[in-house]
Protein backbone atom coordinates (compact mmCIF):
# COMPACT_ATOMS: atom_id res chain seq x y z
CA UNK A 1 0.00 0.00 0.00
CA UNK A 2 2.75 2.47 0.92
CA UNK A 3 4.72 1.79 -2.27
CA UNK A 4 1.62 2.36 -4.40
CA UNK A 5 0.80 5.64 -2.67
CA UNK A 6 4.44 6.74 -2.92
CA UNK A 7 4.56 6.02 -6.65
CA UNK A 8 1.27 7.94 -7.04
CA UNK A 9 2.80 10.88 -5.19
CA UNK A 10 5.92 10.81 -7.38
CA UNK A 11 3.81 10.68 -10.56
CA UNK A 12 1.69 13.60 -9.33
CA UNK A 13 4.80 15.63 -8.47
CA UNK A 14 6.30 15.00 -11.93
CA UNK A 15 3.04 15.95 -13.60
CA UNK A 16 2.73 19.10 -11.51
CA UNK A 17 6.33 20.18 -12.20
CA UNK A 18 5.81 19.70 -15.95
CA UNK A 19 2.58 21.70 -15.86
CA UNK A 20 4.11 24.52 -13.83
CA UNK A 21 7.14 24.64 -16.17
CA UNK A 22 4.78 24.95 -19.15
CA UNK A 23 6.18 21.66 -20.50
CA UNK A 24 2.89 20.75 -22.16
CA UNK A 25 2.66 18.78 -25.38
CA UNK A 26 -1.05 18.15 -25.66
CA UNK A 27 -3.12 18.03 -28.76
CA UNK A 28 -6.10 20.35 -28.40
CA UNK A 29 -9.38 19.58 -30.07
CA UNK A 30 -13.07 20.36 -29.83
CA UNK A 31 -14.40 18.58 -26.76
CA UNK A 32 -18.06 18.01 -25.95
CA UNK A 33 -17.88 18.55 -22.20
CA UNK A 34 -21.30 16.93 -21.66
CA UNK A 35 -20.07 13.66 -23.22
CA UNK A 36 -16.86 13.80 -21.18
CA UNK A 37 -18.81 14.44 -17.95
CA UNK A 38 -21.28 11.59 -18.68
CA UNK A 39 -18.41 9.18 -19.38
CA UNK A 40 -16.55 10.19 -16.19
CA UNK A 41 -19.68 10.04 -14.00
CA UNK A 42 -20.42 6.51 -15.30
CA UNK A 43 -16.82 5.44 -14.60
CA UNK A 44 -17.12 6.79 -11.02
CA UNK A 45 -20.56 5.26 -10.35
CA UNK A 46 -19.25 2.01 -8.75
CA UNK A 47 -17.15 4.05 -6.30
CA UNK A 48 -20.15 6.27 -5.50
CA UNK A 49 -22.48 3.27 -5.13
CA UNK A 50 -20.03 1.60 -2.74
CA UNK A 51 -20.28 4.70 -0.50
CA UNK A 52 -24.06 5.00 -1.06
CA UNK A 53 -23.60 8.43 -2.64
CA UNK A 54 -25.86 9.41 -5.56
CA UNK A 55 -23.93 10.91 -8.48
CA UNK A 56 -25.63 12.67 -11.39
CA UNK A 57 -24.99 15.12 -14.22
CA UNK A 58 -27.10 17.89 -15.72
CA UNK A 59 -26.45 20.21 -18.63
CA UNK A 60 -27.89 23.55 -19.65
CA UNK A 61 -29.41 23.82 -23.12
CA UNK A 62 -27.15 25.13 -25.87
CA UNK A 63 -23.92 23.83 -24.34
CA UNK A 64 -21.06 24.64 -26.73
CA UNK A 65 -17.87 22.57 -27.19
CA UNK A 66 -14.65 23.66 -25.49
CA UNK A 67 -11.13 23.63 -26.88
CA UNK A 68 -9.07 21.23 -24.86
CA UNK A 69 -7.32 17.93 -24.36
CA UNK A 70 -9.93 15.30 -23.48
CA UNK A 71 -7.59 13.12 -21.39
CA UNK A 72 -6.40 16.05 -19.25
CA UNK A 73 -9.92 17.43 -18.83
CA UNK A 74 -11.11 13.97 -17.82
CA UNK A 75 -8.35 13.91 -15.20
CA UNK A 76 -9.75 17.18 -13.77
CA UNK A 77 -13.29 15.78 -13.68
CA UNK A 78 -12.09 12.50 -12.18
CA UNK A 79 -10.17 14.29 -9.40
CA UNK A 80 -13.08 16.63 -8.57
CA UNK A 81 -15.74 13.91 -8.59
CA UNK A 82 -13.53 11.54 -6.57
CA UNK A 83 -12.92 14.29 -3.98
CA UNK A 84 -16.63 15.02 -3.80
CA UNK A 85 -17.51 11.35 -3.30
CA UNK A 86 -14.77 11.01 -0.66
CA UNK A 87 -16.11 13.98 1.35
CA UNK A 88 -19.81 13.10 1.07
CA UNK A 89 -21.46 10.88 3.68
CA UNK A 90 -23.75 7.96 2.78
CA UNK A 91 -27.11 9.07 1.36
CA UNK A 92 -25.52 12.31 0.17
CA UNK A 93 -25.18 13.38 -3.44
CA UNK A 94 -22.67 14.68 -5.96
CA UNK A 95 -23.94 16.69 -8.93
CA UNK A 96 -21.91 17.69 -11.98
CA UNK A 97 -23.36 20.55 -14.01
CA UNK A 98 -22.18 22.38 -17.14
CA UNK A 99 -23.41 25.55 -18.85
CA UNK A 100 -22.22 27.99 -21.48
CA UNK A 101 -21.30 31.39 -20.08
CA UNK A 102 -20.19 34.09 -22.51
CA UNK A 103 -16.97 33.00 -24.21
CA UNK A 104 -16.54 30.00 -21.96
CA UNK A 105 -18.16 26.90 -20.55
CA UNK A 106 -18.44 26.54 -16.76
CA UNK A 107 -18.47 23.17 -15.08
CA UNK A 108 -19.43 22.65 -11.45
CA UNK A 109 -18.97 19.68 -9.13
CA UNK A 110 -21.17 20.11 -6.05
CA UNK A 111 -21.53 17.77 -3.08
CA UNK A 112 -23.55 17.55 0.12
CA UNK A 113 -20.52 16.78 2.28
CA UNK A 114 -19.08 18.76 5.18
CA UNK A 115 -17.90 21.62 2.95
CA UNK A 116 -14.90 23.80 3.63
CA UNK A 117 -14.56 26.60 6.17
CA UNK A 118 -13.43 29.96 4.73
CA UNK A 119 -9.80 29.56 5.87
CA UNK A 120 -9.59 26.19 4.10
CA UNK A 121 -11.09 27.56 0.87
CA UNK A 122 -8.21 29.98 0.40
CA UNK A 123 -5.73 27.10 0.66
CA UNK A 124 -7.67 24.34 -1.14
CA UNK A 125 -5.59 24.56 -4.34
CA UNK A 126 -2.21 24.64 -2.54
CA UNK A 127 0.03 21.57 -2.86
CA UNK A 128 -0.41 19.00 -0.06
CA UNK A 129 -3.23 20.89 1.62
CA UNK A 130 -5.84 18.35 2.68
CA UNK A 131 -8.83 20.12 4.14
CA UNK A 132 -11.93 18.67 5.67
CA UNK A 133 -12.62 16.65 8.76
CA UNK A 134 -9.89 14.06 9.21
CA UNK A 135 -12.43 11.54 10.51
CA UNK A 136 -14.48 11.82 7.31
CA UNK A 137 -11.47 11.52 5.06
CA UNK A 138 -9.98 8.27 3.86
CA UNK A 139 -6.21 7.94 3.89
CA UNK A 140 -5.87 7.81 0.11
CA UNK A 141 -4.89 10.80 -1.97
CA UNK A 142 -1.63 12.72 -2.24
CA UNK A 143 -2.96 16.18 -1.43
CA UNK A 144 -2.03 17.25 -4.98
CA UNK A 145 -5.32 16.58 -6.78
CA UNK A 146 -6.73 20.12 -6.66
CA UNK A 147 -3.32 21.63 -7.38
CA UNK A 148 -3.05 19.51 -10.52
CA UNK A 149 -6.64 20.39 -11.48
CA UNK A 150 -5.80 24.08 -11.22
CA UNK A 151 -2.63 23.67 -13.31
CA UNK A 152 -4.48 21.74 -16.04
CA UNK A 153 -7.41 24.19 -16.16
CA UNK A 154 -5.05 27.21 -16.27
CA UNK A 155 -2.97 25.55 -19.01
CA UNK A 156 -6.21 25.45 -21.04
CA UNK A 157 -6.70 29.20 -20.48
CA UNK A 158 -9.43 28.66 -17.90
CA UNK A 159 -9.77 29.21 -14.17
CA UNK A 160 -10.94 27.17 -11.20
CA UNK A 161 -12.41 28.29 -7.89
CA UNK A 162 -14.54 27.29 -4.91
CA UNK A 163 -17.98 28.86 -5.17
CA UNK A 164 -20.06 29.86 -2.16
CA UNK A 165 -22.32 27.04 -1.07
CA UNK A 166 -24.95 26.87 1.66
CA UNK A 167 -24.16 23.16 2.00
CA UNK A 168 -21.19 21.01 1.04
CA UNK A 169 -18.57 22.16 -1.46
CA UNK A 170 -18.96 23.60 -4.96
CA UNK A 171 -15.88 23.56 -7.18
CA UNK A 172 -16.34 25.42 -10.47
CA UNK A 173 -14.03 25.77 -13.44
CA UNK A 174 -14.28 27.58 -16.74
CA UNK A 175 -12.81 26.63 -20.11
CA UNK A 176 -12.66 28.70 -23.29
CA UNK A 177 -15.24 27.65 -25.85
CA UNK A 178 -14.01 26.11 -29.10
CA UNK A 179 -13.81 28.29 -32.18
Amino acid sequence: VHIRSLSGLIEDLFELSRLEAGDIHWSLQQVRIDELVEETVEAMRPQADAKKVAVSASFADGLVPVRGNPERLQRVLFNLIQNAIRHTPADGSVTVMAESSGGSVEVEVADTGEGLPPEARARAFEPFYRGGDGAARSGDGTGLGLTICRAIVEAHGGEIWLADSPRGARVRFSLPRAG
Side-chain angles (χ1 to χ4, degrees):
V1 166
H2 291 304
I3 289 176
R4 194 168 64 236
S5 62
L6 189 60
S7 71
L9 175 62
I10 291 166
E11 283 172 29
D12 283 353
L13 282 167
F14 273 127
E15 182 174 8
L16 189 58
S17 64
R18 283 194 303 271
L19 285 163
E20 289 183 340
D23 180 16
I24 298 165
H25 307 286
W26 304 334
S27 60
L28 294 179
Q29 61 194 68
Q30 278 204 6
V31 178
R32 297 249 344 243
I33 205 78
D34 50 348
E35 291 175 1
L36 203 59
V37 166
E38 289 279 9
E39 193 180 296
T40 312
V41 163
E42 284 311 307
M44 304 295 289
R45 199 169 295 287
Q47 192 177 334
D49 288 348
K51 272 204 73 188
K52 297 185 172 40
V53 172
V55 61
S56 63
S58 70
F59 310 102
D61 291 338
L63 193 61
V64 296
V66 299
R67 183 160 174 73
N69 178 279
E71 290 79 23
R72 295 310 186 288
L73 294 178
Q74 189 155 38
R75 171 81 193 267
V76 171
L77 289 165
F78 178 82
N79 278 2
L80 296 180
I81 295 167
Q82 185 176 50
N83 266 358
I85 292 168
R86 189 182 291 154
H87 290 281
T88 300
D91 299 323
S93 64
V94 172
T95 309
V96 188
M97 188 272 299
E99 62 188 355
S100 299
S101 172
S104 63
V105 170
E106 284 191 9
V107 180
E108 175 178 289
V109 178
D111 66 59
T112 58
E114 74 268 19
L116 285 162
E119 66 275 11
R121 280 193 200 184
R123 300 188 54 204
F125 296 97
E126 289 177 11
F128 303 114
Y129 183 74
R130 297 179 69 200
D133 174 7
R137 190 177 59 227
S138 55
D140 50 352
T142 60
L144 289 170
L146 285 178
T147 311
I148 289 171
C149 287
R150 181 181 64 189
I152 292 171
V153 168
E154 289 178 353
H156 279 82
E159 55 183 310
I160 187 167
W161 67 95
L162 276 157
D164 285 337
S165 176
R167 180 176 182 206
R170 286 172 59 212
V171 182
R172 288 184 76 94
F173 65 93
S174 65
L175 296 165
R177 61 197 298 170

